[in-house]
Amino acid sequence: GYSYEGDVWAKQKRFADAAKSYQQSLQLYAHSETALKLHAARMMAGNVKEADADLARWLLQHPREQIVQHYLAESYMRQANWKLAIPQYQLILSMYPRDIRALNNLANSFMSAGDLAAARATIEKAELFNAKDAEVLDTHASILAASGDAAGAMNKVDAALERDTNNPNIRLHRA
């Protein structure tokens, strides 16, 4: 029904119409995929604040939807909205304390917000859970570089590149 209708509108780049259809679908059946489609349609229609606020409200009713929690946090990161990204990742970690992706992105958010001490403590915690994750090593390298530790940063980025030789971001950081 309405979800398919929203898909058709979205393919036609009629994002406001797609959002209306997805909203109708969500009223009938609260499904995380539809909530994500609604958010994306609203974002593409230029309603960023409405999209984020509605998804945050939806998550209050469905707090264990880890994928949607990450999606919202990453939306905040793309907007460089560290005041919302940081608590969103902290919320995810309160439910899933060993979530490497959340730890890594929280460390990136702290670094981008200028809190290098919190960034370093967070990325070190991520490394305790998975010391071989290339993204974690790369983030640690960025934090060390921002802290003025060029040698430590090079060691971490080299380790990251050993684990993921095809990652263009890591290769760029090594260049």
Side-chain angles (χ1 to χ4, degrees):
Y2 292 115
S3 185
Y4 288 133
E5 182 180 76
D7 293 345
V8 170
W9 291 131
K11 283 189 187 282
Q12 295 175 1
K13 301 197 183 315
R14 293 177 56 181
F15 299 111
D17 291 327
K20 288 176 189 174
S21 294
Y22 293 137
Q23 182 64 52
Q24 288 176 308
S25 178
L26 268 183
Q27 289 171 348
L28 296 173
Y29 179 65
H31 191 271
S32 60
E33 182 179 346
T34 307
L36 295 176
K37 288 180 178 183
L38 173 59
H39 183 270
R42 285 196 172 137
M43 294 288 281
M44 294 301 292
N47 300 319
V48 175
K49 288 184 181 182
E50 178 186 6
D52 287 344
D54 281 352
L55 192 56
R57 275 192 298 277
W58 190 86
L59 280 168
L60 290 174
Q61 297 172 357
H62 307 90
R64 290 294 200 186
E65 293 284 350
Q66 189 176 13
I67 291 170
V68 181
Q69 293 282 6
H70 271 282
Y71 179 93
L72 182 59
E74 290 167 11
S75 176
Y76 294 148
M77 283 185 74
R78 282 189 299 277
Q79 298 169 52
N81 189 339
W82 314 119
K83 289 181 181 180
L84 293 178
I86 289 169
Q88 184 63 33
Y89 281 117
Q90 289 170 328
L91 175 64
I92 294 167
L93 290 165
S94 73
M95 293 181 281
Y96 308 98
R98 296 178 69 104
D99 185 326
I100 297 297
R101 186 167 133 210
L103 285 164
N104 188 64
N105 288 349
L106 178 59
N108 265 313
S109 296
F110 277 134
M111 179 177 61
S112 297
D115 189 344
L116 294 177
R120 190 168 189 157
T122 303
I123 205 63
E124 287 171 356
K125 186 174 182 180
E127 278 190 347
L128 288 175
F129 296 135
N130 189 349
K132 296 183 180 185
D133 185 281
E135 293 290 331
V136 169
L137 292 167
D138 185 51
T139 297
H140 200 161
S142 296
I143 293 165
L144 291 171
S147 301
D149 183 356
M154 291 306 294
N155 287 335
K156 291 291 182 183
V157 79
D158 285 343
L161 197 53
E162 282 177 23
R163 284 158 182 81
D164 190 354
T165 58
N166 294 321
N167 185 314
N169 289 326
I170 297 171
R171 292 173 67 115
L172 177 65
H173 293 158
R174 181 61 180 96

